[in-house]
Amino acid sequence: MSGGLAAGPRPAGIWRADPLGFALLGFALCALLTGLAVWLADRSGTARAIWFAGVVPVLAALVVEILRGIRRGETGLDIVAALSMTAALVFGETLAAAVVAVMYSGGTLLESLAEGRARRSMHDLLSRVPRTATRHRDGALEDVPLDAIAPGDRLLIRQGDVVPVDGTLASDAAFVDTSALTGESLPVRLLRGAEAFSGSTNAGEAFGLLATHEAKDSTYAGIVRLVEAAQASKAPMSRLADRWSLGFLAVTLGIAVVAWWVSGDPSRAVAVLVVATPCPLILAVPVALVAGLSRAAQLGVLVKGAGPLETMARVRTLILDKTGTLTDGRPRIVSIDSAGGPAKDEILRLAAALDQASTHPVAQAVVAAAKARGLTLPVPSDVTEFPGEGVAGHVDGREVVVGGGAFVASRVGRRPGDPLAVAAGSVLVAVAVDGHMAGHLVMSDPLREGAGAMLDGLRRQGIARILLATGDRADVAARVTEGLGLDGLRADLTPDRKVALVLAERAHGPVMMVGDGVNDAPALAAADVGVAMGVRGAAASAEAADVVLLVDRIDRLATGIEIARASRRIALESVVAGIGLSVLGMIAAAMGYLTPVEGALLQEAIDVAVILNALRALRIAPRDPAAAKPRSVPPGQAGVVQGVTP
């Protein structure tokens, strides 16, 4: 019986393709073949003794496994295999018992190979964890263990090295392969100061990295922890299969008893028992779901376990955060307005040079825009930051003030003028130089690329309700989502009100919540499935979520849901087809059309078919949402960036 599985996860041991497991299979197979040779030499008594001896070790190991399962509170269909071998030995069907022993021990090896293949992508993540790093110290290089790396250390990342910790690029440029994290096949070009995530691989020349996190707090370490948790999980569908398995056990015993009672031939009961296979119930489900987990991980969607994967397949309502989720979350400069003073590039250069001293997202966006234009940014001096208002200081000996219009006007001794007319959801950053208003930077937070196509794809997959939940103002949220066809928009939400919305929507079916900030973490935890934007999202949201998108693309959400639904469908197909064939085989055996040996061979064929079908989840090819016909989205959609809760 190839599953040979007690319901639920089994501890490492004889059934995990270890040396003892191979020894049991080898002994049973040797006994079967030797017995057949002796039987052909007309020594049937000796052949039966050899077959008997080959069954005993496998049966003893199986009984031990059953007792362990009972102590864990698990009762599975291993009992059917034990009963079939025991009944065959008692009623003299030693050849059938030997065949079952070989099939059972061989089936557990097949199970291990199937699950091993399904988990390969996750194991690849674990195996890539670097053990040491090369650090600059006192003008020399030294190899140090990862635990010795501290924020601020400068590391050398050679060609082919895996980036050991999160950091910022200390060289002019670098090419990194992020395929292990995101599924993206092409290397990514990074410029000086850009973030480089641990777990990516240097695909170009050696570069310098300035560590920003310890190894234990880096992106890749977090992914490894999530992978390990996912591998130990058990899906609700698997728990349901546990309950079904007890019913199947009762049906099997019932058919066996009736066949014996009606025919008076105990060999018919033995044939029924050996043809009964537990695999469709308790092997197909975990193999299909684990294969789905691996496939999703390959495409940058890290699901924390089989349970969340199955729940994803049943989601009916989707709630999206706005800033950093539906929108890019990184404000961009749309235009620069000059007040008749310095040129536009000079306004940007001075503002960006001063903003180097601030960690505010808007300030960092200004710096990034200046670097993208190739502007050289001097180091500012005498910097004073006024939280929530702006920054003041000196750049190249000139007094510069950057911030909100009212703040900058007050610093230069002027009354705020009439604001420029900008699209709803945009924000103005005022810049003053040497006591005079120099101009404004117009900034916005655009929708993520592919957001509209993704929402269309989700509706085709059966998502009935799609809502936006944001802390932004209602007018800004409406402007951003204009033309997206959402079923509802909830604005001005605090974290507790987001939780209340999630709980209210659960009345319509399982709810998925997608967010990226610390303020989204409670809602992610409250949802049936919480999804975090893991590349730039907060650590709290990634911890609270059930799913982490490892690539900064919202369309991977549709990919994850499609894989989840396909994996669940494949698991159900395997269960229905396998159980149907098993029941037909038991009926044929009860009516005398199958001998015990033929029943054992038939059930193994069913088991192999079920496992191979479940492994189809490894080849799921999601549709590309970007390939769908794009919806018409009005120009100028943007979200508020500064001074608004994300």
Side-chain angles (χ1 to χ4, degrees):
M1 305 266 167
S2 112
L5 293 171
R10 300 180 70 171
I14 61 169
W15 305 111
R16 290 301 178 193
D18 60 358
L20 180 57
F22 275 113
L24 287 172
L25 173 59
F27 186 80
L29 182 59
C30 182
L32 175 62
L33 297 177
T34 303
L36 286 173
V38 172
W39 180 75
L40 291 174
D42 289 331
R43 298 172 62 185
S44 58
T46 304
R48 284 194 292 271
I50 293 174
W51 290 328
F52 190 99
V55 172
V56 170
V58 177
L59 180 57
L62 177 56
V63 170
V64 170
E65 187 65 29
I66 292 172
L67 294 176
R68 288 176 178 171
I70 292 174
R71 283 200 298 269
R72 295 192 302 268
E74 300 170 350
T75 304
L77 290 177
D78 280 344
I79 296 175
V80 174
L83 287 176
S84 65
M85 282 188 273
T86 302
L89 293 178
V90 169
F91 293 107
E93 296 285 351
T94 51
L95 175 57
V99 171
V100 171
V102 170
M103 296 300 185
Y104 186 88
S105 52
T108 56
L109 177 60
L110 178 61
E111 171 202 344
S112 296
L113 294 175
E115 289 196 3
R117 182 185 175 197
R119 294 179 185 268
R120 191 171 301 149
S121 297
M122 293 190 173
H123 283 299
D124 288 344
L125 286 175
L126 299 176
S127 65
R128 297 180 69 257
V129 179
R131 299 288 182 261
T132 61
T134 304
R135 181 174 64 184
H136 290 267
R137 177 60 59 90
D138 299 329
L141 296 174
E142 60 178 358
D143 288 334
V144 296
L146 294 194
D147 293 342
I149 299 174
D153 284 348
R154 184 184 174 98
L155 308 177
L156 176 65
I157 311 299
R158 299 183 179 90
Q159 186 175 35
D161 283 354
V162 175
V163 177
V165 298
D166 292 347
T168 57
L169 194 65
S171 300
D172 291 335
F175 283 91
V176 295
D177 178 2
T178 62
S179 59
L181 299 176
T182 67
E184 296 289 349
S185 58
L186 296 178
V188 178
R189 186 170 186 262
L190 302 179
L191 299 178
R192 182 182 293 272
E195 289 182 295
F197 293 105
S198 56
S200 54
T201 303
N202 182 8
E205 299 298 325
F207 64 83
L209 182 78
L210 193 65
T212 57
H213 294 79
E214 295 180 6
K216 63 182 178 63
D217 298 324
S218 290
T219 300
Y220 202 67
I223 292 173
V224 169
R225 287 194 293 270
L226 296 182
V227 168
E228 290 172 339
Q231 290 179 332
S233 70
K234 187 177 184 183
M237 180 182 270
S238 295
R239 289 191 289 268
L240 180 60
D242 294 347
R243 294 193 293 271
W244 288 350
S245 67
L246 295 178
F248 186 75
L249 174 60
V251 170
T252 299
L253 294 177
I255 294 177
V257 170
V258 170
W260 187 1
W261 179 67
V262 171
S263 67
D265 183 1
S267 66
R268 292 196 183 186
V270 174
V272 170
L273 291 174
V274 299
V275 82
T277 173
C279 280
L281 278 174
I282 57 178
L283 180 59
V285 170
V287 167
L289 295 182
V290 170
L293 290 175
S294 293
R295 184 60 179 142
Q298 289 175 347
L299 298 176
V301 182
L302 183 60
V303 186
K304 292 186 180 180
L309 185 77
E310 189 198 338
T311 306
M312 284 178 69
R314 299 184 291 107
V315 164
R316 300 286 295 165
T317 300
L318 173 65
I319 300 177
L320 293 162
D321 174 49
K322 182 181 75 65
T323 305
T325 302
L326 193 59
T327 66
D328 189 63
R330 289 177 290 196
R332 301 176 185 175
I333 294 178
V334 177
S335 62
I336 302 175
D337 170 65
S338 174
K344 293 181 179 181
D345 276 359
E346 180 65 6
I347 292 173
L348 177 59
R349 186 184 76 87
L350 294 173
L354 182 61
D355 274 343
Q356 291 178 105
S358 173
T359 59
H360 193 283
V362 172
Q364 294 301 305
V366 172
V367 173
K371 289 182 177 179
R373 296 192 185 194
L375 301 178
T376 301
L377 305 181
V379 178
S381 61
D382 305 322
V383 178
T384 304
E385 184 168 6
F386 301 84
E389 297 184 283
V391 187
H394 288 84
V395 177
D396 286 343
R398 307 183 72 177
E399 183 182 0
V400 181
V401 183
V402 181
F407 168 74
V408 174
S410 68
R411 297 287 297 182
V412 298
R414 292 179 50 184
R415 293 173 58 88
D418 293 333
L420 296 176
V422 296
S426 296
V427 65
L428 289 175
V429 177
V431 182
V433 179
D434 293 332
H436 300 282
M437 189 68 71
H440 294 84
L441 309 177
V442 182
M443 306 190 72
S444 68
D445 183 12
L447 279 176
R448 285 182 179 271
E449 183 179 355
M454 180 208 67
L455 296 182
D456 287 339
L458 290 176
R459 290 195 184 280
R460 289 193 297 271
Q461 291 182 30
I463 301 296
R465 289 172 57 80
I466 302 178
L467 309 176
L468 182 74
T470 178
D472 261 347
R473 302 192 311 268
D475 60 332
V476 173
R479 174 71 181 180
V480 170
T481 59
E482 185 178 352
L484 291 182
L486 299 177
D487 296 296
L489 188 157
R490 306 291 187 271
D492 298 310
L493 295 182
T494 57
D496 60 320
R497 292 177 63 191
K498 284 187 178 182
V499 171
L501 174 63
V502 168
L503 296 178
E505 287 297 324
R506 293 179 76 174
H508 301 285
V511 174
M512 173 183 284
M513 170 72 193
V514 187
D516 75 318
V518 174
N519 61 327
D520 297 319
L524 295 178
D528 295 281
V529 179
V531 181
M533 304 296 295
V535 174
R536 290 185 286 112
S541 63
E543 288 294 329
D546 302 294
V547 180
V548 180
L549 301 185
L550 300 178
V551 58
D552 198 27
R553 287 174 49 180
I554 190 65
D555 59 358
R556 291 300 171 89
L557 180 62
T559 296
I561 292 177
E562 186 173 352
I563 290 174
R565 296 197 168 181
S567 300
R568 188 172 188 269
R569 183 179 65 252
I570 289 171
L572 288 174
E573 288 172 355
S574 299
V575 167
V576 172
I579 292 299
L581 291 173
S582 296
V583 171
L584 290 176
M586 286 190 289
I587 293 174
M591 297 176 66
Y593 294 116
L594 290 175
T595 66
V597 173
E598 293 169 342
L601 295 174
L602 174 64
Q603 73 85 207
E604 186 62 20
I606 295 173
D607 290 352
V608 171
V610 164
I611 293 172
L612 293 178
N613 185 68
L615 284 174
R616 289 194 299 118
L618 287 172
R619 301 190 301 275
I620 296 171
R623 292 183 295 272
D624 183 2
K629 182 179 179 181
R631 62 165 64 245
S632 175
V633 180
Q637 293 189 80
V640 166
V641 211
Q642 187 176 16
V644 179
T645 303

